[in-house]
Amino acid sequence: EGLLDERAIHDLHLLKESVLQIERTDLNQQKGSFHTHRQTVSKSSHAGPAPAVTLDYLYLQAKGVADSLEETAEDLARKCGGKVHYGEVVDGAVHSAEWKRADTLLQLAHEPRHRAIKDPERAIFKTIYMYGGDVSRIKDICRVRIEFSRISQIRECLRIMHRQKKSLVLVSVVNRLDLQDAALDNAGYRDVICSVNVLSDRTRELQCTNHLCEIQLTLTPFLNLLTPEFHKRLLRLRNIRTLGSAGVNWHQ
């Protein structure tokens, strides 16, 4: 905190209050904890039981949601002066793919992995060692990152997301820019993590409106630190702590 000027500290406190206000408002409207929502499957209009919440099915849903999430993120970035980043950092590049139009999730199954979709290996690791095999707790299979130069832009983006009920539902917020957050848990990297449902004609058509996606709101100085080398060290740190908590001897 000593490295920040008074304006930055003031903006961080305002951001914290904005997040707390969102939590207070939504906790009065939703059952359960604001931070413990899980993946569910939309009820089908066809006869028969709903599909099980499996990793394969969540990846199918993510493919159905990805384009709509990108459109939503681009719209938020335009309104708040941000820049959208996609996919994982891999040798200075991100995963991308050319996509064809599909009418059902099954038709999307054979499409290449969308640039907004998480590497399956990481999702499997988190399912086994962080979530005890419960895939419904994975909320970031489909995700994008929006870069901002000022804290006030992140506050404005959160305000718009909270009020944008027709095209997006803000389900939960984790404010890792909070000065009381343990920065060492993420090797000093900080951002704001938003779990959302994307509502569009496309996600309704594919019955993916319940799929939880992630929008990461990041400040430019932190994003500049997120080189491929730093990202690898960050994942290694998280993996070591996860394996240690699970009682796994990671030295082997």
Side-chain angles (χ1 to χ4, degrees), residues 6 8 11 17 30 74 78 80-81 94 110 136 142 158 169 177 199 203 209 211 228 232 242 251:
E6 291 184 4
D11 285 344
E17 182 55 37
Q30 303 181 56
E74 291 286 359
R78 281 192 298 270
C80 304
V94 295
H110 301 293
S136 71
C142 188
L158 282 173
V169 176
L177 284 173
L199 311 179
T203 60
T209 54
H211 186 85
K232 288 177 183 178
T242 298
H251 293 286

Side-chain angles (χ1 to χ4, degrees), residues 68 101 198-207 209:
S68 295
R101 185 73 177 177
V198 182
L199 311 179
S200 68
D201 291 341
R202 180 74 171 147
T203 60
R204 292 186 184 94
E205 175 188 2
L206 297 176
Q207 298 180 337
T209 54

Side-chain angles (χ1 to χ4, degrees), residues 26-27 57 79 93 121 167 181 234:
D26 283 16
L27 274 173
Y57 192 77
K79 291 177 178 177
E121 290 186 8
S167 59
D181 185 78
L234 179 58

Side-chain angles (χ1 to χ4, degrees), residues 136-147:
S136 71
R137 296 175 64 185
I138 299 180
K139 298 181 284 187
D140 63 345
I141 291 177
C142 188
R143 72 276 187 275
V144 295
R145 179 184 293 117
I146 308 179
E147 173 190 358

Side-chain angles (χ1 to χ4, degrees), residues 36-206:
T36 57
H37 288 81
R38 300 187 178 192
Q39 296 281 13
T40 59
V41 175
S42 301
K43 293 182 179 180
S44 174
S45 59
H46 304 289
V53 181
T54 64
L55 196 59
D56 285 343
Y57 192 77
L58 290 182
Y59 266 86
L60 277 179
Q61 281 193 323
K63 284 187 172 185
V65 172
D67 284 339
S68 295
L69 178 64
E70 287 196 2
E71 292 171 4
T72 298
E74 291 286 359
D75 181 60
L76 289 169
R78 281 192 298 270
K79 291 177 178 177
C80 304
K83 179 182 178 182
V84 180
H85 296 262
Y86 302 102
E88 300 152 1
V89 181
V90 180
D91 297 327
V94 295
H95 292 296
S96 62
E98 292 295 327
W99 272 50
K100 296 180 293 185
R101 185 73 177 177
D103 296 322
T104 67
L105 286 180
L106 289 179
Q107 290 174 355
L108 284 172
H110 301 293
E111 292 291 310
R113 180 155 61 95
H114 194 283
R115 60 185 179 179
I117 294 179
K118 191 182 198 72
D119 184 345
E121 290 186 8
R122 180 64 183 164
I124 292 171
F125 178 91
K126 292 177 73 173
T127 299
I128 295 173
Y129 294 109
M130 294 179 66
Y131 303 139
D134 185 357
V135 299
S136 71
R137 296 175 64 185
I138 299 180
K139 298 181 284 187
D140 63 345
I141 291 177
C142 188
R143 72 276 187 275
V144 295
R145 179 184 293 117
I146 308 179
E147 173 190 358
F148 296 102
S149 60
R150 300 190 305 277
I151 299 167
S152 58
Q153 293 172 311
I154 292 180
R155 284 184 61 222
E156 176 64 11
C157 188
L158 282 173
R159 185 189 67 80
I160 293 175
M161 292 170 69
H162 189 220
R163 296 182 178 181
Q164 199 164 303
K165 305 294 187 182
K166 292 184 179 181
S167 59
L168 179 137
V169 176
L170 182 57
V171 177
S172 69
V173 182
V174 177
N175 180 16
R176 298 197 297 201
L177 284 173
D178 187 341
L179 293 175
Q180 295 181 342
D181 185 78
L184 290 178
D185 289 347
N186 292 291
Y189 183 77
R190 291 178 178 270
D191 55 8
V192 176
I193 302 294
C194 304
S195 293
V196 303
N197 296 133
V198 182
L199 311 179
S200 68
D201 291 341
R202 180 74 171 147
T203 60
R204 292 186 184 94
E205 175 188 2
L206 297 176

